[in-house]
Amino acid sequence: MDQGVKKFGTHGADPQAALQAEQVRTQQANLWTMLLVMALVILAVIAAGAYAFDWKWTGFPGNKLWDWLNLLIRPVTLTVATIWFTGNHKWGQKWTVSMMVAGVILVVLAVGGYLFDWTWTGFHGNSVWDWLNLLLLPVTLTAVMIWFAGHRQWRAEWTLLVVVSGVVLAVLAVGGYLFNWTWTGFHGNRLWDWLNLLLLPIALTGVTAWFTAQQSSDSDTASKQQAAFSPPYLVRSDGTALQLEGDILKVGRAPDNHIVVNDEEVSRHHALLKREGTSYVLEDEGTPNGVFVNNQRIQRHLLAQGDVIRLGDTVFTYQMPVTEQ
């Protein structure tokens, strides 16, 4: 439903171009997902043949869970990250649940491998150093995705997490090198080994920070260009601007809304925008997931310049036109 809303691209482009770009991103994400699923199915069939029917040509028999993790965890994480970055950059509930389930499974396997001697896991005998080599890159990639989903803002909890991680690593290094804590596996590793461990995660984080700064600069430029419009407008996280023209605008997932939000966490009729003077009031339509402005849940809120609106996993920024003096 287009009445009351005009859609502009990031740089004032035709709305159709923005829609086509979104469709291309969706197609790319679907393609990557299909390829990943196909690869995992093929691998599962070969593994079943190797372990159940002794297909010696595969070389699979004799490899334990630890070997499989070393083989798969990095490429799978990179593929998932690619799917996520070519999509809508949303960290939804399904991602959180998936991460929690994977973490719980890994903890259970580690306890069984080290305490109950589950030999098939291959975990026993691997030190902290081995676990760092296995998990540091996937954990870094996951942190980058969460950072993007959090609108690229550095929060206090991130600082706390980095400080705590640094302190823990420093304690383990001191214990490993000075007090010969053999279980850390640090002793014997030199600067070259540490560079091999840390260089890629550090480079990945640096490139992401640079890319984010570039996107923020482009977004600022787009915001200045959009300021030429006289009515207020909403800017999506992808830079698309929705100019508001109407006394009452409906927002939600259903197609009869003035602003349609394709988000599973958004109700069919989620919120209302009501004109009040030169601005708009945002009202919650009694939805279970709520309406948030600047990270605060609201029932009714008079919008001001720069307010960040969140409906489900979808984020808008409210922009007022520049009034010439």
Side-chain angles (χ1 to χ4, degrees):
M1 186 172 182
D2 297 326
Q3 274 188 327
V5 176
K6 288 184 180 179
K7 185 175 180 182
F8 298 85
T10 305
H11 297 285
D14 192 304
Q16 188 65 28
L19 178 60
Q20 289 175 349
E22 184 175 351
Q23 290 175 340
V24 169
R25 287 196 300 270
T26 302
Q27 290 172 354
Q28 290 175 338
N30 291 339
L31 176 61
W32 276 102
T33 303
M34 182 181 67
L35 291 174
L36 177 61
V37 171
M38 288 177 58
L40 291 177
V41 168
I42 292 172
L43 189 61
V45 170
I46 295 175
Y51 287 99
F53 302 106
D54 197 26
W55 293 355
K56 295 189 185 325
W57 58 270
T58 64
F60 286 4
N63 289 298
K64 300 183 179 180
L65 178 61
W66 179 264
D67 304 301
W68 281 98
L69 287 175
N70 271 284
L71 175 70
L72 295 177
I73 194 167
R74 295 179 189 86
V76 168
T77 305
L78 284 169
T79 305
V80 170
T82 302
I83 294 171
W84 188 85
F85 276 109
T86 55
N88 293 321
H89 296 180
K90 295 178 182 177
W91 187 273
Q93 185 178 9
K94 61 183 179 180
W95 290 94
T96 302
V97 172
S98 299
M99 290 297 301
M100 291 178 63
V101 170
V104 169
I105 291 174
L106 190 60
V107 169
V108 170
L109 291 172
V111 170
Y114 285 99
L115 298 184
F116 300 106
D117 199 26
W118 292 354
T119 54
W120 56 271
T121 65
F123 285 3
H124 196 273
N126 290 295
S127 61
V128 173
W129 180 265
D130 302 308
W131 281 98
L132 285 174
N133 274 283
L134 177 69
L135 296 178
L136 188 59
L137 180 59
V139 168
T140 302
L141 275 173
T142 304
V144 167
M145 290 190 289
I146 295 173
W147 185 37
F148 262 77
H151 321 305
R152 308 164 183 89
Q153 295 176 351
W154 188 268
R155 300 177 179 176
E157 51 263 36
W158 285 95
T159 302
L160 179 62
L161 181 62
V162 170
V163 170
V164 170
S165 300
V167 170
V168 170
L169 188 61
V171 170
L172 291 173
V174 169
Y177 285 100
L178 298 184
F179 300 105
N180 198 27
W181 293 353
T182 54
W183 53 272
T184 65
F186 285 4
H187 196 273
N189 290 297
R190 303 185 179 183
L191 178 59
W192 179 262
D193 304 299
W194 282 96
L195 287 175
N196 272 285
L197 175 69
L198 299 175
L199 195 56
L200 183 56
I202 291 174
L204 176 65
T205 305
V207 169
T208 302
W210 176 84
F211 178 69
T212 301
Q214 291 295 110
Q215 281 201 329
S216 298
S217 175
D218 292 343
S219 179
D220 290 342
T221 302
S223 296
K224 291 177 182 178
Q225 292 176 344
Q226 295 294 347
F229 303 147
S230 54
Y233 53 96
L234 299 178
V235 181
R236 293 181 187 267
S237 54
D238 64 0
T240 303
L242 304 173
Q243 188 175 350
L244 307 179
E245 294 181 339
D247 292 331
I248 299 179
L249 304 174
K250 296 187 294 183
V251 185
R253 201 175 70 249
D256 62 341
N257 289 286
H258 297 92
I259 300 176
V260 179
V261 182
N262 295 317
D263 186 330
E264 294 178 357
E265 303 296 322
V266 173
S267 299
R268 289 178 56 79
H269 298 98
H270 200 100
L272 286 178
L273 285 164
K274 297 181 178 180
R275 189 193 299 275
E276 187 168 302
T278 59
S279 187
Y280 278 84
V281 170
L282 179 63
E283 294 183 356
D284 188 351
E285 286 279 87
T287 57
N289 291 337
V291 175
F292 292 81
V293 176
N294 301 326
N295 291 323
Q296 298 293 323
R297 185 164 185 167
I298 60 97
Q299 294 300 320
R300 187 178 190 276
H301 178 82
L302 178 61
L303 293 170
Q305 166 65 24
D307 278 349
V308 178
I309 302 165
R310 179 164 62 83
L311 310 176
D313 293 323
T314 303
V315 176
F316 300 91
T317 302
Y318 183 75
Q319 298 287 354
M320 298 284 289
V322 176
T323 303
E324 294 189 10
Q325 302 297 327

